[in-house]
Amino acid sequence: STISIYKNFYVKAVSLKLMMKMSLPPWSSPSPSQPEEHLQLEPVYLLYDERMLQHCPVDWVEPEDYPEDLDEVDGDYQVEVPERLRVIYQRLCDLGRRLRYEEDISVDTIYKPLRCEMATKEQVLYAHSEAQYDRLDRLQYLIYAELAAMSRQSRNDVYYCSESFNAAKLAAGGLLGCVDAVCSPAATTTGDGIGSTPARTNKAVALVRPPGHHACQSKEMGFCFIDSVVVAAKYALATKKASRIAILDWDIHDGNGTSDGTIRDENIFRLDIHRYNPREGFYPYTGAPHDIGAGKARGLNLNMAWSHGGMGNVEYAAAFYELILPLLVDYKPDLLLISCGLDAAMGDLLGGCELTPGFFHAMTRATLEAVGPGTPVVCALEGGYTMSVIPDCMEAVTLAMLGCPYRYHS
């Protein structure tokens, strides 16, 4: 079983403090009669770049209403669209402004903005073959008919436009900027329009698209072109910013591209919680529990696989208590990269699971507690496809990254 494979990691148990924090309802708040401490938030780096919105279907026309249920989606609708990024960014901007005026919160800076620089060819090659890079780089020179034909041939697995690869390079380069920022020993001062002061943080929230964790070394798939998290991990190792990296992927789909890029790397511990059912099938049809790594990295690839949908807060809490948090506590990473898919949320068009925004907050908070305050953390957006759901979930994750209780959720 998965647990027996990883029994050598059970040197330490999750502390009672972690378990208590996870078991308390994350939406609970003290009664009015209880005094509250004055909260001092830790700012986070926030990465966003409008140029990533330019990746869209060649015949894209924004619908008047985005679908709330899979029954409302026709065969031509693309679920990975620019609006995903826009609605999340707007919500986080609203959150920043609102927190500035909360009377019991002491804060000068909420976000320290980061802008994307495109990843170079050398950097993309940390995760992908040169032939794959060159093939995708040619997208910018193709005409409409060629791009449309390629998109039709992919059968909604991925679509192409002239800006697709540039957007993917921005996403990857943005994560490299996040790694540089959170791993830097020097404090920086930035202005964000919401408030600015000299502040230091080792946490970043990266709003990036197209997503990346399905992109394999020589193949784009699952809306993904470049596995930005793998590029970031390999970059951190190559530049000696980290030597012991953990990648935690809670997107409901297996990060097969991330596994492809790290399966033999003894300096990266990948933990992925997702759906996997070889009989009924669930995209991308990979991520079996017995795939545990290869060579010197054997035992460093954990697939925590649900055999069916409908998994909710209770099931995820059990998985975190019994497996994921103890492994993180024992591994002691010096950099944590979170592939933050939001498609396990209740109401997602593709995920079929039932996590609440409150649990995304609890899951993030417990993960940060497990690795400790001194560990740099980059939380990068992956999947999540219902426009009314993803802002709630990403706001909850960001509140946890800020060290802010869930009761401040809008």
Side-chain angles (χ1 to χ4, degrees):
S1 69
T2 302
I3 292 179
S4 65
I5 290 171
Y6 284 89
K7 65 182 179 180
N8 58 309
F9 283 104
Y10 276 83
V11 178
K12 297 180 181 178
V14 183
S15 69
L16 180 60
K17 179 180 178 182
L18 280 177
M19 294 176 66
M20 288 298 292
K21 280 182 174 288
M22 282 285 284
S23 59
L24 285 172
W27 50 85
S28 65
S29 59
S31 64
S33 60
Q34 293 177 308
E36 295 186 2
E37 295 184 0
H38 203 63
L39 289 173
Q40 177 66 57
L41 303 188
E42 179 185 350
V44 299
Y45 291 103
L46 180 62
L47 178 87
Y48 173 77
D49 194 307
E50 287 188 351
R51 291 176 292 172
M52 287 182 282
L53 303 178
Q54 295 174 13
H55 168 61
C56 61
V58 290
D59 53 356
W60 172 243
V61 177
E62 186 172 351
E64 292 184 7
D65 298 299
Y66 284 91
E68 296 291 317
D69 188 272
L70 196 57
D71 293 337
E72 302 173 17
V73 177
D74 61 36
D76 295 327
Y77 178 75
Q78 295 286 350
V79 297
E80 203 295 293
V81 293
E83 189 68 9
R84 295 178 59 242
L85 211 59
R86 188 182 293 113
V87 295
I88 291 174
Y89 180 66
Q90 184 59 56
R91 175 65 67 85
L92 296 194
C93 288
D94 292 344
L95 172 66
R97 285 188 287 266
R98 186 161 47 80
L99 291 180
R100 288 275 296 155
Y101 296 102
E102 291 287 349
E103 293 182 358
D104 62 337
I105 294 180
S106 175
V107 63
D108 291 305
T109 299
I110 303 293
Y111 305 128
K112 296 161 66 67
L114 293 174
R115 193 171 184 272
C116 298
E117 299 291 339
M118 283 192 190
T120 65
K121 181 175 182 178
E122 179 183 9
Q123 291 164 343
V124 174
L125 295 186
Y126 283 134
H128 301 282
S129 69
E130 186 169 14
Q132 174 71 351
Y133 181 97
D134 292 341
R135 189 174 66 82
L136 292 177
D137 192 51
R138 288 193 289 271
L139 290 176
Q140 61 187 312
Y141 305 113
L142 300 183
I143 62 174
Y144 170 93
E146 293 171 313
L147 294 166
M150 291 175 63
S151 300
R152 285 194 300 271
Q153 290 169 6
S154 76
R155 297 182 179 181
N156 284 344
D157 187 55
V158 66
Y159 63 79
Y160 303 88
C161 74
S162 59
E163 293 299 320
S164 294
F165 194 45
N166 285 335
K169 287 190 290 183
L170 283 168
L175 285 199
L176 301 188
C178 288
V179 168
D180 285 339
V182 300
C183 294
S184 172
T188 59
T189 303
T190 59
D192 59 2
I194 300 172
S196 61
T197 189
R200 181 177 178 177
T201 180
N202 62 354
K203 296 177 178 61
V205 173
L207 304 185
V208 293
R209 67 174 291 274
H213 72 155
H214 294 310
C216 298
Q217 294 181 49
S218 300
K219 180 182 181 182
E220 72 277 15
M221 60 180 289
F223 316 138
C224 304
F225 296 86
I226 297 174
D227 195 319
S228 302
V229 167
V230 173
V231 172
K234 301 284 189 174
Y235 167 79
L237 292 172
T239 57
K240 302 190 184 305
K241 296 181 185 297
S243 60
R244 191 174 178 83
I245 298 173
I247 298 175
L248 173 58
D249 187 335
W250 60 52
D251 188 292
I252 196 59
H253 303 91
D254 174 47
N256 58 304
T258 306
S259 177
D260 186 45
T262 64
I263 197 76
R264 295 182 178 276
D265 197 316
E266 61 185 306
N267 302 114
I268 301 175
F269 182 23
R270 170 183 170 269
L271 305 93
D272 195 310
I273 182 167
H274 56 263
R275 286 179 61 178
Y276 171 75
N277 188 324
R279 292 184 179 180
E280 298 177 7
F282 190 78
Y283 192 89
Y285 318 107
T286 57
H290 57 75
D291 293 334
I292 61 170
K296 292 183 178 181
R298 182 175 174 82
L300 292 175
N301 189 69
L302 168 65
N303 286 308
M304 174 69 211
W306 304 120
S307 60
H308 54 83
M311 298 296 102
N313 296 354
V314 172
E315 292 82 7
Y316 270 78
F320 269 73
Y321 290 161
E322 298 295 332
L323 192 62
I324 293 172
L325 294 178
L327 295 179
L328 284 174
V329 169
D330 189 65
Y331 185 69
K332 299 183 183 67
D334 55 8
L335 173 63
L336 171 65
L337 303 174
I338 300 176
S339 292
C340 182
L342 306 174
D343 45 7
M346 183 183 300
D348 186 79
L349 290 175
L350 302 182
C353 286
E354 300 179 358
L355 289 189
T356 64
F359 192 80
F360 274 97
H361 182 275
M363 185 164 62
T364 307
R365 181 177 60 182
T367 299
L368 297 179
E369 292 269 354
V371 299
T375 302
V377 178
V378 178
C379 183
L381 178 67
E382 288 283 355
Y385 304 101
T386 304
M387 299 304 165
S388 62
V389 172
I390 54 178
D392 288 340
C393 295
M394 200 66 202
E395 180 184 1
V397 169
T398 304
L399 281 169
M401 293 284 284
L402 289 164
C404 190
Y406 184 73
R407 63 179 176 271
Y408 294 96
H409 191 279
S410 61

